[in-house]
Amino acid sequence: MERIYLDSNATTVVDPLVKQAMEPFFCQMYGNPNSLHRFGTETHPYMSIALDRMYTAIGADDEDDIIINGCATEGNNTVLKGVFMDSLVKGEPCHIITSQIEHPSVLKTCQYLEEAHGVEVTYLPVDKAGLVTLETLKAHLIPGKTTLVSIMWANNETGLINPIKELAEYTKEQGVLFHTDAVQALGKIPVSLKEVPADYLTFSAHKFHGPIGAGGLYIRNSVSITPLLHGGEQMGHKRAGTVNVPFMVGMGLAMELATEHLDFLNKEVGRLRDKLEDAILNLPDTMVIGDRKNRTHNTILASFRGIEGEAFLWDLNKNGIAASTGSACSSEDLEADATFQAMDLDNNLSHTGVRFSLSRFTTEEEIDKSIDVINKTVQRLRAISSTYMGEQ
Amino acid sequence: MAKNDLLGGSLWDNYSNKVADRMDHPTYLGLITEAEAEALNARLVIADWGAESCGDAVRLYWAVDKVSDRIVKASFKSFGCGTAIASSDMMVELCIGKTVDEVLEITNLDVEKSLRDDPDTPAVPPQKMHCSVMAYDVIKQAAAIYKGVEKGILDDDEMVCECARVTLKTIQEVIRINDLTTVEEITDYTKAGAFCKSCIRPGGHEQKKYYLVDILKETRAQMDREVEQKKELPFSSRSSFQKMRMIENHFDAEIRPLLHKDGGDVVILDIKDQGESTLVSISYKGACMGCGSALTGTLSFIEQGLKDHVDESIRVSVE
């Protein structure tokens, strides 16, 4: 066992079946699908299959659109800026409601719209469980004024799952557009647009064993959006740019496989996650954020009192284990992660939090080795710590 | 922005081998007890310091010889990342064997340079320089505890760039003396803003009291105002009161601070017009009295400064 990858909320290994499906489209069937000749047209059936797989995976109606793009960041930007542009064209003010725990691709885009264009943005807080509640949304949504509500389905740091169905239903009842960033939900929990009346939904292939650099934006039929990229006629005029055939094919298959493996993820990956989580909680002065019942089955955000997150990652890395930290000290930005700040659980959490995220490729042997390394890391770094004074 | 800035590099790849080694095997880790210090005929000093910006914290232990004020043993404990632990470890090493007054000369730059594998390659990436700043601060805290004073007394005034240890006054002077117009020029002259870059403008990874962009803007505006004021009314046409204020202001801003550094001072006894000249009569105080250069170099410095910054017609005499 050389390396152990426990950072699957950041990105995932490409499924070998997905890689195999993509390969013919690099050197054999490489024609531009918009060309008239046979090189171009021979890819159409494969793109059609890929789209079918995507529509099925998220329960989209045939009349709805799924725009293939570069990543979820592009999808989120398209929704937020597109809705603002639509308001601008109509000459109406734009009021967006989002939450304090969104991914930076939503938060920073909202901040840009606020600062550069005077858009009014409301950032909903989360409750003690780390969730955006319907009550909070009701308190801030103003029918006739609010233009868009954008709430993530599952949180990237904690894995906590928002009550997206009731949030979307209420928003639609009020005649307001609803968007959800489903990047951390797709492939981990059932995602069905037959159940959830979202107008827009974004996803990203590399979060469910597809290729990095491919994403999708779902747009419900009858809902308009101003494109982020103007140009050719691709994607029904909703996103210009030559279609990335191999990545589209890869993403389609990855989505199908992710849906098929949902049960395995929930049971087997969930069992391994729980085993790791139990071992962490058996150590003194540790905690895990969020109730297991409300979390994606692959995610643990743990806090080890007295140990700075980056120092923890350093020791894990030396032992071949990849995890992640929301610790401010490990990034360019010293400000604590928005999720940690919003949850307001423990002032030290943003500096002691380590995120372990599993995938369906994680093995029991890897979890056993990780538990051993975590135990040794906690022992070593607490011996160095100036803030850890023994069991509390 | 340029090619080398387009891709964010791995933070850890920019750590020197010394940083990595001290992170894995800190040499001076641990604590010193009262009994250990007493056995060394030393006084135990325990100082805590934390970096608000990143949440790191360090505890420093010194055993200071009761007779010589020399630090005979030191150790630390740390809640921090790799660079914080390595910087603390190196900081302790630099303290050992020095007197308390001598360690006050150690800065974060010394700590960082001591962690380099080769003299020209920084030991840590720019955004991690603040971890070595914490090592510097805890030394000040320990010295303050030992001396029984507030740490603030030992702090440098108005530090703008803690990574490069550049003060507000230095930056203002550099802008004025060299007529600087861009932040890049300030960085070239002083190294302020060259490391973590938080002090350049708001929005960096650490909130600062002062930002280079604001200092530059305000200093340039002040310089412009001064030019305008000079243009407004010739010195010779001003009232006696205005002349006195201009001369006093120059003494306060430029002359007295320099004399104070050497324990000297100067007072203005009289200002009077003599034909086309203005004669300023002064008297020296403190160390300036009896100083060999008081009637030569210092006098020339005072007179030339008044000629350059107030009016060419001014002459200075010592009573």
Side-chain angles (χ1 to χ4, degrees):
Chain A
M1 194 186 322
E2 289 184 357
R3 300 191 299 175
I4 299 172
Y5 188 75
L6 297 179
D7 197 17
S8 294
N9 281 11
T11 194
T12 53
V13 60
V14 173
D15 188 321
L17 292 173
V18 170
K19 177 173 172 276
Q20 191 179 27
M22 291 168 66
E23 272 170 355
F25 300 94
F26 291 108
C27 296
Q28 294 160 33
M29 291 184 279
Y30 51 85
N32 184 336
N34 282 349
S35 302
L36 295 175
H37 51 66
R38 191 160 175 181
F39 281 85
T41 55
E42 68 184 358
T43 58
H44 277 280
Y46 299 95
M47 289 165 58
S48 179
I49 291 168
L51 275 179
D52 283 347
R53 285 170 164 159
M54 293 181 214
Y55 273 69
T56 303
I58 60 173
D61 190 271
D62 285 352
E63 300 307 311
D64 302 335
D65 290 329
I66 294 180
I67 310 304
I68 310 305
N69 53 28
C71 54
T73 294
E74 185 187 326
N76 290 338
N77 268 263
T78 303
V79 173
L80 295 162
K81 291 174 183 170
V83 165
F84 162 66
M85 290 302 294
D86 285 351
S87 297
L88 206 63
V89 169
K90 290 177 195 165
E92 295 170 354
C94 185
H95 174 226
I96 295 172
I97 294 178
T98 187
S99 80
Q100 294 173 3
I101 60 166
E102 297 296 313
H103 186 268
S105 59
V106 170
L107 284 179
K108 295 208 171 175
T109 307
C110 284
Q111 285 159 9
Y112 160 75
L113 291 172
E114 269 187 305
E115 290 162 14
H117 300 286
V119 171
E120 186 183 346
V121 183
T122 303
Y123 300 91
L124 299 182
V126 291
D127 66 1
K128 284 186 177 174
L131 301 172
V132 179
T133 66
L134 181 59
E135 289 68 33
T136 310
L137 177 62
K138 281 181 176 175
H140 292 88
L141 189 149
I142 305 168
K145 180 192 170 191
T146 303
T147 319
L148 172 76
V149 174
S150 175
I151 306 291
M152 66 187 348
W153 200 315
N155 182 263
N156 46 314
E157 298 290 350
T158 60
L160 286 162
I161 302 162
N162 279 317
I164 214 71
K165 185 170 187 286
E166 58 184 45
L167 294 174
E169 282 174 347
Y170 173 74
T171 302
K172 294 311 298 170
E173 282 166 16
Q174 304 306 314
V176 175
L177 294 167
F178 187 84
H179 164 240
T180 183
D181 172 358
V183 162
Q184 297 293 342
L186 216 153
K188 293 169 187 160
I189 55 174
V191 170
S192 173
L193 288 155
K194 290 186 171 59
E195 301 286 326
V196 174
D199 297 298
Y200 310 104
L201 176 143
T202 43
F203 55 89
S204 182
H206 74 104
K207 305 291 186 180
F208 46 79
H209 306 291
I212 285 180
L217 167 60
Y218 163 86
I219 305 172
R220 192 173 287 279
N221 181 33
S222 80
V223 175
S224 69
I225 193 81
T226 299
L228 194 65
L229 303 180
H230 291 85
E233 298 173 355
Q234 298 88 347
M235 290 292 141
H237 298 274
K238 289 192 168 74
R239 198 260 188 187
T242 305
V243 179
N244 189 340
V245 179
F247 281 46
M248 189 171 164
V249 169
M251 182 160 68
L253 179 58
M255 277 176 87
E256 184 174 276
L257 292 172
T259 313
E260 283 176 6
H261 286 108
L262 262 185
D263 194 46
F264 177 82
L265 190 100
N266 289 342
K267 287 182 180 158
E268 182 56 16
V269 178
R271 184 184 68 79
L272 293 179
R273 190 277 306 267
D274 291 350
K275 181 178 185 178
L276 177 60
E277 185 170 327
D278 289 342
I280 289 169
L281 291 172
N282 271 338
L283 293 166
D285 298 319
T286 57
M287 65 181 290
V288 170
I289 310 308
D291 193 321
R292 279 184 197 179
K293 291 196 296 290
N294 283 334
R295 257 189 286 145
T296 49
H297 285 80
N298 75 318
T299 307
I300 301 167
L301 177 58
S303 165
F304 301 85
R305 189 176 292 277
I307 302 175
E308 200 273 338
E310 190 200 326
F312 204 109
L313 289 194
W314 176 279
D315 274 27
L316 292 182
N317 188 56
K318 278 185 75 74
N319 287 281
I321 299 172
S324 172
T325 174
S327 162
C329 208
S330 64
S331 67
E332 294 276 348
D333 186 350
L334 288 182
E335 283 292 311
D337 183 277
T339 306
F340 294 119
Q341 289 183 324
M343 289 182 71
D344 197 26
L345 286 165
D346 180 337
N347 285 335
N348 289 321
L349 184 65
S350 63
H351 303 291
T352 60
V354 180
R355 184 186 71 187
F356 302 93
S357 45
L358 290 62
S359 80
R360 66 173 188 263
F361 291 92
T362 307
T363 66
E364 182 120 29
E365 190 188 6
E366 289 175 335
I367 293 300
D368 290 338
K369 168 84 188 297
S370 299
I371 290 169
D372 184 47
V373 170
I374 288 167
N375 288 341
K376 287 173 181 159
T377 298
V378 167
Q379 202 173 359
R380 181 181 104 83
L381 293 176
R382 279 186 175 161
I384 294 176
S385 177
S386 61
T387 59
Y388 188 72
M389 301 302 171
E391 292 188 35
Q392 307 291 301
Chain B
M1 181 60 75
K3 188 176 81 174
N4 290 337
D5 299 321
L6 290 175
L7 294 176
S10 168
L11 210 61
W12 291 342
D13 286 345
N14 294 316
Y15 288 3
S16 70
N17 291 329
K18 284 183 185 170
V19 168
D21 191 46
R22 282 177 184 264
M23 166 58 183
D24 292 337
H25 310 289
T27 316
Y28 300 101
L29 175 66
L31 50 82
I32 301 173
T33 63
E34 285 283 2
E36 282 177 283
E38 196 55 45
L40 292 165
N41 193 33
R43 185 181 145 198
L44 179 64
V45 176
I46 302 173
D48 288 303
W49 196 256
E52 274 181 39
S53 53
C54 66
D56 286 358
V58 61
R59 172 168 288 183
L60 174 62
Y61 297 86
W62 279 350
V64 187
D65 186 271
K66 289 176 180 172
V67 179
S68 65
D69 278 357
R70 202 165 290 281
I71 296 158
V72 291
K73 188 175 182 186
S75 62
F76 80 101
K77 297 200 95 179
S78 169
F79 170 84
C81 59
T83 48
I85 292 170
S87 297
S88 300
D89 199 45
M90 178 55 77
M91 172 266 296
V92 169
E93 184 170 307
L94 294 177
C95 288
I96 293 171
K98 293 188 173 71
T99 66
V100 172
D101 283 334
E102 285 169 349
V103 295
L104 282 170
E105 300 298 316
I106 299 170
T107 70
N108 56 302
L109 298 175
D110 298 320
V111 172
E112 187 273 319
K113 281 182 179 157
S114 301
L115 287 166
R116 293 183 181 193
D117 292 335
D118 70 77
D120 298 325
T121 308
V124 295
Q127 66 267 37
K128 302 296 277 185
M129 274 297 287
H130 66 272
C131 301
S132 64
V133 174
M134 190 171 67
Y136 167 85
D137 278 321
V138 79
I139 287 176
K140 284 279 173 72
Q141 177 72 351
I145 291 170
Y146 183 76
K147 288 170 177 282
V149 297
E150 287 291 320
K151 176 178 174 288
I153 291 171
L154 303 176
D155 283 336
D156 295 315
D157 282 340
E158 306 293 9
M159 192 64 71
V160 174
C161 176
E162 288 174 320
C163 300
R165 308 220 64 75
V166 187
T167 62
L168 176 63
K169 193 163 187 296
T170 300
I171 293 168
Q172 288 169 330
E173 281 176 1
V174 165
I175 293 169
R176 283 174 172 277
I177 293 167
N178 302 289
D179 195 23
L180 304 185
T181 56
T182 67
V183 167
E184 289 74 21
E185 287 176 326
I186 297 172
T187 303
D188 287 344
Y189 275 79
T190 66
K191 292 284 178 212
F195 297 101
C196 81
K197 298 181 170 51
S198 288
C199 63
I200 293 179
R201 57 177 57 81
H205 69 241
E206 191 175 352
Q207 274 198 343
K208 309 291 284 187
K209 184 177 175 187
Y210 298 100
Y211 293 98
L212 298 183
V213 289
D214 299 328
I215 297 168
L216 178 65
K217 190 176 166 188
E218 285 160 17
T219 307
R220 295 293 320 181
Q222 179 62 28
M223 289 163 70
D224 291 343
R225 279 196 296 275
E226 288 164 9
V227 170
E228 285 304 311
Q229 280 170 4
K230 279 186 181 174
K231 282 183 192 166
E232 279 171 7
L233 200 62
F235 184 75
S236 58
S237 306
R238 292 178 182 268
S239 68
S240 297
F241 178 76
Q242 286 175 327
K243 286 179 181 174
M244 186 188 75
R245 286 292 300 272
M246 288 173 74
I247 290 167
E248 280 282 5
N249 287 344
H250 180 72
F251 268 80
D252 285 345
E254 305 294 337
I255 297 170
R256 289 196 176 100
L258 287 172
L259 300 186
H260 289 170
K261 279 186 179 174
D262 294 325
D265 202 354
V266 62
V267 291
I268 301 171
L269 300 174
D270 196 12
I271 297 170
K272 58 187 172 192
D273 292 328
Q274 284 190 334
E276 293 187 352
S277 299
T278 300
L279 180 64
V280 180
S281 302
I282 63 169
S283 171
Y284 287 119
K285 299 285 176 193
C288 292
M289 292 172 70
C291 171
S293 68
L295 299 175
T296 55
T298 307
L299 179 61
S300 171
F301 164 73
I302 294 171
E303 186 171 274
Q304 196 56 49
L306 288 166
K307 283 177 180 291
D308 291 345
H309 293 100
V310 184
D311 195 70
E312 184 63 30
S313 70
I314 296 173
R315 290 187 299 114
V316 180
S317 69
V318 181
E319 299 289 317

